[in-house]
Amino acid sequence: MGCEKCGGRGWILYKKDGIDFAKPCECQEVMKARNRLDASGISDEFHKKGFKNFSDRGKEVLRNARLKAIEYCKNYPEIKNTNRNSIIFMGQVGSGKTHLSMAICNNLMDYHKVGVIYMPYRDEITKIKQTIKDEINYQNALNRFKTCQALMIDDLLKGKNTEADANILFEIINYRYLNMLPIIVSTEKTKDELLDFDEGVMSRVLEMTKDYQIEIIGEEYNYRLL
Ligand SMILES: [Zn+2]
């Protein structure tokens, strides 16, 4: 995992006019993201999720989802600074959307040196709400998710969502939307359900993910369509 540029120190040392200087290496963002992941306690599980060990269970919908995820990673360097730089997986429980989202994050960290912050939606929204009376803590809590290089939102809109949740989400999404900062999203909701909850926020999410929207629908759902 050592960085070629700085030898894993996180700083690049150089001399100018005979004086020693140090500047932060680009790998610092990745290191910060990794440390945060380690602290979150899901690090081991997270690192195991790759494209190679994703099983499509012989289903075309999953095979296509995997291909789309790989395509996203390949195209990432070209799209990262555009307003269509994000990806969303929509589907039922157990469809593999979290696995593919995590595989993308691992790929971005390992191959593209992107610092990805993992946000388990319900847990983090609850934590942010607890800081709401303390402006500084609140802004700190929000900033981590607003400004990171890439953000994975796991299980978007899980649980019962209030107007306070929508406001927090808007702050994060709108900032990332305006600054063209990518999001990697998994959710059990459909497009319509997302828009029904809050059109202002979700129209931005859907715009950012416009080229990479994957709906993983299973047998039950197909059955209903017949
Ligand atoms: Zn480095």
Side-chain angles (χ1 to χ4, degrees):
M1 223 189 290
C3 170
E4 287 168 14
K5 286 193 178 167
C6 67
R9 281 184 299 258
W11 294 87
I12 293 175
L13 309 173
Y14 63 103
K15 266 191 202 300
K16 198 179 166 191
D17 301 328
I19 301 166
D20 289 320
F21 287 93
K23 64 176 182 186
C25 180
E26 61 184 17
C27 70
Q28 275 207 15
E29 284 299 316
V30 181
M31 265 197 268
K32 267 190 255 170
R34 283 193 199 285
N35 290 342
R36 215 184 123 64
L37 207 54
D38 289 346
S40 72
I42 65 143
S43 182
D44 286 345
E45 190 202 338
F46 200 105
H47 290 312
K48 279 183 204 146
K49 302 285 191 281
F51 293 126
K52 284 189 184 136
N53 59 15
F54 177 77
S55 166
D56 63 27
R57 292 165 246 167
K59 290 181 182 168
E60 197 184 355
V61 64
L62 293 182
R63 193 156 50 239
N64 289 339
R66 180 174 172 275
L67 288 175
K68 197 76 180 165
I70 292 171
E71 184 193 319
Y72 175 78
C73 291
K74 274 199 189 130
N75 292 340
Y76 187 83
E78 285 105 73
I79 62 170
K80 64 180 178 184
N81 297 318
T82 73
N83 48 21
R84 290 195 188 174
N85 54 14
S86 301
I87 186 164
I88 187 167
F89 296 91
M90 295 165 277
Q92 59 201 28
V93 190
S95 57
K97 51 197 189 327
T98 294
H99 184 131
L100 286 176
S101 305
M102 287 180 174
I104 287 173
C105 296
N106 284 324
N107 188 286
L108 295 186
M109 286 197 277
D110 292 344
Y111 298 106
H112 297 297
K113 305 290 173 211
V114 183
V116 188
I117 293 296
Y118 173 68
M119 178 186 187
Y121 174 77
R122 179 46 53 201
D123 291 356
E124 295 294 351
I125 286 282
T126 303
K127 280 187 209 158
I128 294 170
K129 272 198 287 195
Q130 285 161 357
T131 67
I132 217 153
K133 283 184 186 144
D134 180 334
E135 184 62 22
I136 292 173
N137 273 340
Y138 178 65
Q139 288 306 332
N140 282 343
L142 272 181
N143 275 341
R144 184 184 307 140
F145 302 114
K146 281 162 73 174
T147 62
C148 58
Q149 286 182 315
L151 176 68
M152 173 178 167
I153 306 176
D154 195 18
D155 239 335
L156 177 65
L157 292 193
K158 183 186 179 179
K160 194 176 178 297
N161 287 277
T162 63
E163 208 182 313
D165 298 335
N167 291 339
I168 290 169
L169 199 55
F170 184 81
E171 284 226 39
I172 296 170
I173 296 295
N174 193 47
Y175 184 91
R176 301 192 70 83
Y177 173 80
L178 294 172
N179 291 282
M180 295 189 225
L181 294 165
I183 50 175
I184 296 120
V185 183
S186 84
T187 181
E188 282 173 23
K189 307 289 182 194
T190 63
K191 250 189 235 187
D192 286 343
E193 286 168 340
L194 292 175
L195 289 168
D196 276 350
F197 169 66
D198 189 311
E199 207 178 332
V201 181
M202 295 307 167
S203 62
R204 283 166 172 77
V205 170
L206 293 175
E207 200 181 320
M208 293 166 83
T209 59
K210 189 137 191 160
D211 296 331
Y212 300 92
Q213 293 174 351
I214 297 115
E215 287 176 280
I216 307 176
I217 48 178
E219 281 119 332
E220 283 168 56
Y221 196 78
N222 282 335
Y223 184 71
R224 216 170 66 201
L225 288 176
L226 290 172

